[in-house]
């Protein structure tokens, strides 16, 4: 209930692939962060419809549409979306026993490789705010991804980490050390 309420009121419109436009960015960031905590408890939320009265599979917004926020103009919101992606990947690994392909098998959901590519691109973002939150998401999912059966898709994520050691912002370098 909480996840649907947050997504419907503050994040996703009733049209698939569209965000709510009349909500402040700070409210969206808080709602997305709270959804990240919900996903930690219930990763299955990722594949559910946001609106119960809309059941068309191809046109109804689902929670996986939240990846739209990885390309938002606000760096804090992009970073929070990256942290959410890391939590989803972690939950998928735990729920599926490392078989990500079976967990993401529902039509319309992004493939695990797509989510890893989005997380990788956020790690290469110019904003240190985005990068630090993406590192926090990566810190959650990398140990589980390394044990997953589809380990090969994790290599791109691991390959971008050494370049972060030379980031101009010292807290990013510190976060990489903690990773």
């Amino acid at each position: 209930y909480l996840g649907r309420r947050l997504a419907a009121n503050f994040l996703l419109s009733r049209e698939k692939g569209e965000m709510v436009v009349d909500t402040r960015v700070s409210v969206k960031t808080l709602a997305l962060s709270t959804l990240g905590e919900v996903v930690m408890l219930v990763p299955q939320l990722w594949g559910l419809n946001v609106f119960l009265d809309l059941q068309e599979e191809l046109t109804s917004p689902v929670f996986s549409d939240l990846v739209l926020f990885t390309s938002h103009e606000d760096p804090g919101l992009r970073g929070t979306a990256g942290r959410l992606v890391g939590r989803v990947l972690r939950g998928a690994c735990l729920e599926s026993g490392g078989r990500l392909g079976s967990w993401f098998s529902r039509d319309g959901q992004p493939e695990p490789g797509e989510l890893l590519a989005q997380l990788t691109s956020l790690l290469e973002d110019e904003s240190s705010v985005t990068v630090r939150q993406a590192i926090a998401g990566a810190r959650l999912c990398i140990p589980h991804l390394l044990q997953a059966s589809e380990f090969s898709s994790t290599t791109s994520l691991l390959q971008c980490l050494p370049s972060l050691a030379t980031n101009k912002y010292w807290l990013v370098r510190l976060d990489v050390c903690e990773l």
Side-chain angles (χ1 to χ4, degrees):
Y1 176 78
L2 175 65
R4 282 193 168 108
R5 190 76 166 165
L6 287 171
N9 286 349
F10 306 114
L11 299 170
L12 296 173
S13 72
R14 294 181 70 82
E15 299 295 322
K16 185 165 182 72
E18 292 185 20
M19 299 180 242
V20 172
V21 292
D22 58 348
T23 304
R24 293 177 59 169
V25 171
S26 60
V27 174
K28 288 181 182 181
T29 303
L30 184 59
L32 203 56
S33 181
T34 305
L35 272 174
E37 296 299 323
V38 172
V39 165
M40 286 286 281
L41 298 172
V42 186
Q44 304 91 340
L45 182 73
W46 191 247
L48 298 179
N49 287 342
V50 174
F51 299 96
L52 290 175
D53 59 337
L54 298 176
Q55 295 299 322
E56 287 294 320
E57 192 163 320
L58 297 176
T59 59
S60 298
V62 291
F63 282 95
S64 60
D65 290 340
L66 291 171
V67 297
L68 292 168
F69 289 98
T70 60
S71 60
H72 195 272
E73 62 189 24
D74 182 72
L77 197 50
R78 280 195 314 266
T80 304
R83 199 171 63 216
L84 175 68
V85 166
R87 289 171 182 223
V88 168
L89 288 168
R90 174 195 171 274
C93 285
L94 291 173
E95 290 279 319
S96 69
R99 292 179 296 280
L100 292 175
S102 64
W103 198 83
F104 286 100
S105 62
R106 183 176 170 189
D107 290 338
Q109 278 198 39
E111 293 293 319
E114 292 174 45
L115 292 177
L116 284 166
Q118 288 174 336
L119 189 56
T120 302
S121 71
L122 291 173
L123 287 170
E124 297 166 345
D125 198 274
E126 71 276 354
S127 168
S128 62
V129 173
T130 303
V131 172
R132 289 193 69 212
Q133 291 193 32
I135 289 171
R139 186 182 307 131
L140 286 171
C141 68
I142 285 177
H144 302 286
L145 289 170
L146 292 175
Q147 297 173 5
S149 60
E150 295 155 24
F151 170 70
S152 61
S153 58
T154 310
T155 56
S156 64
L157 182 65
L158 295 173
Q159 288 173 344
C160 83
L161 292 177
S163 66
L164 293 174
T166 59
N167 191 292
K168 62 183 177 218
Y169 191 51
W170 70 274
L171 285 174
V172 170
R173 294 190 307 257
L174 180 67
D175 288 342
V176 171
C177 289
E178 291 175 357
L179 179 66

